[in-house]
Amino acid sequence: MLEAWDDDKTHAALLEHAVLSGALPELAARYKELSGDPEKGVLAKKRLDAIVQTATQMLLSTRMPRPGRIPLPITLSAVGVCLALVGWVTYELLSRGR
């Protein structure tokens, strides 16, 4: 790839391949090695930014949606059952004391 260092199409194809094969960390490591190079450093940092942006987009696309609210009839039913059980237990405890 160093032969085609200035070719944007090569870098784009490499990034796409890394996304599809799950090799983004390896690709980022290779660009990181070259980021200190005086000749290739600027372009390597630009490519690292593209990798970070791609990884962020992938992460955000897999985010789970917020769970919805519990419907009011279900909540009221649960409250009703709990109140009935508390009432029954209270009645049983008070009736045994007589």
Side-chain angles (χ1 to χ4, degrees):
M1 186 182 95
L2 292 177
E3 300 83 32
W5 183 253
D6 294 326
D7 186 15
D8 287 338
K9 290 181 183 179
T10 303
H11 291 284
L14 184 60
L15 180 60
E16 182 179 344
H17 176 71
V19 167
L20 294 175
S21 64
L24 274 180
E26 182 179 341
L27 182 62
R30 290 178 184 247
Y31 279 120
K32 180 74 173 161
E33 289 174 9
L34 293 171
S35 65
D37 188 279
E39 294 177 18
K40 298 177 175 83
V42 174
L43 190 56
K45 289 176 186 175
K46 179 181 170 187
R47 299 300 173 196
L48 272 172
D49 290 341
I51 291 171
V52 169
Q53 184 178 11
T54 301
T56 302
Q57 289 174 352
M58 289 173 58
L59 181 64
L60 290 176
S61 70
T62 60
R63 187 170 57 177
M64 296 292 292
R66 261 182 103 177
R69 296 186 66 168
I70 298 174
L72 185 60
I74 293 175
T75 303
L76 293 176
S77 298
V79 169
V81 168
C82 288
L83 288 175
L85 288 173
V86 167
W88 176 70
V89 168
T90 303
Y91 173 76
E92 289 294 323
L93 288 175
L94 293 177
S95 66
R96 290 179 192 225
R98 291 187 204 171

